[in-house]
Amino acid sequence: MPFASWRSLAAAAALALSLPAAHAGLFDDEEARKAILDLRARIQANDETASKAIAELVATNTQLVQQVATLQRSLLELNNQLEVLRGEVAKLRGDGEQLLRDVATLQQGQKDANQNFDDRLRKLEPQKVALDGREFVASSDERQLYDASIAAIRNGDFDSAAKGLGDLLERWPTTGYGASARFWLGNAQYGKRDYKGAVGTFRDLVKANPDHPKAPEALLALANSQAEMKDTRSARRTLDELLKSYPDSEAATAGKERLASLK
């Protein structure tokens, strides 16, 4: 066999032997390429999923941020409203306390007014009076007129006293002050030198109220009035009446001395 042919046969044999190895290498590259492509596809899919998830998270976060901002504004508004309400409550509490004070003041004022009214009403109503050992019921006007007349006598204003007591006896003929009013009226008349008037007044007292505590003093004052009128005889008779009717009275003791001085 020629050498060239042998070389060709050897090359062919070498080629034949190398074909399975080349085929195996080509197969491994294809599998790797497919694996790389598959991995790349999965990575891309994962990237898209991650991007989508990130986008959703960003959107969710944005919504949450907006919601938080809205809640913050709402809380701020609520806090402002609460402050306003606290102010209004404080004002209402203050107004309520002031109202309670005003009501208490009004109630006290009404109570005082009622008390004053009751006091004035009691003063106007007839009341029991104790005078010269006697008790009787007298109106407010009677009491005021009598008290004013007695005060006038103490002040030496006999004219005002005589007028007041005269008015009292004229307006209330049956007044419980009758005997006492006549006694002091007689003294007022004596003080203003109306001896004749005093004589009539003292005589009326003794005649109408012989058992009155002032009756003995009225007889003594009557005798003094008669003596001032230079009617000594009448004065002595009056003193005799005093000694006879009221022998144990202080007026009778003074009457004895007065009788001795009359000539």
Side-chain angles (χ1 to χ4, degrees), residues 119-170:
D119 292 341
R120 290 195 299 270
L121 186 61
R122 280 193 293 271
K123 290 179 180 179
L124 294 175
E125 291 177 346
Q127 293 184 8
K128 182 178 290 187
V129 176
L131 181 64
D132 294 332
R134 306 293 176 90
E135 287 189 353
F136 55 90
V137 176
S139 68
S140 173
D141 290 341
E142 289 178 83
R143 297 194 304 273
Q144 290 180 4
L145 187 53
Y146 179 83
D147 292 341
S149 300
I150 297 303
I153 289 177
R154 293 195 182 100
N155 293 328
D157 187 357
F158 300 117
D159 289 332
S160 295
K163 184 180 184 308
L165 293 167
D167 290 344
L168 174 65
L169 293 168
E170 182 177 353

Side-chain angles (χ1 to χ4, degrees), residues 20-31:
H23 180 74
L26 291 173
F27 178 79
D28 291 339
D29 290 342
E30 186 67 25
E31 290 295 327

Side-chain angles (χ1 to χ4, degrees), residues 46-145:
N46 287 337
D47 288 343
E48 292 176 354
T49 301
S51 297
K52 184 178 180 181
I54 290 171
E56 291 177 351
L57 287 173
V58 170
T60 301
N61 184 66
T62 301
Q63 292 179 353
L64 288 174
V65 169
Q66 293 175 347
Q67 291 175 357
V68 168
T70 302
L71 287 174
Q72 287 176 339
R73 288 193 298 270
S74 299
L75 287 174
L76 182 60
E77 292 177 358
L78 285 174
N79 186 61
N80 292 335
Q81 292 176 2
L82 285 174
E83 289 300 323
V84 172
L85 287 174
R86 288 192 186 99
E88 292 179 350
V89 168
K91 184 177 183 301
L92 288 174
R93 184 179 293 112
D95 292 344
E97 292 174 354
Q98 182 60 46
L99 181 61
L100 289 175
R101 288 192 293 269
D102 292 342
V103 169
T105 300
L106 288 174
Q107 289 176 338
Q108 185 61 45
Q110 184 63 41
K111 182 179 179 180
D112 293 341
N114 291 338
Q115 184 62 47
N116 291 335
F117 177 78
D118 291 341
D119 292 341
R120 290 195 299 270
L121 186 61
R122 280 193 293 271
K123 290 179 180 179
L124 294 175
E125 291 177 346
Q127 293 184 8
K128 182 178 290 187
V129 176
L131 181 64
D132 294 332
R134 306 293 176 90
E135 287 189 353
F136 55 90
V137 176
S139 68
S140 173
D141 290 341
E142 289 178 83
R143 297 194 304 273
Q144 290 180 4
L145 187 53

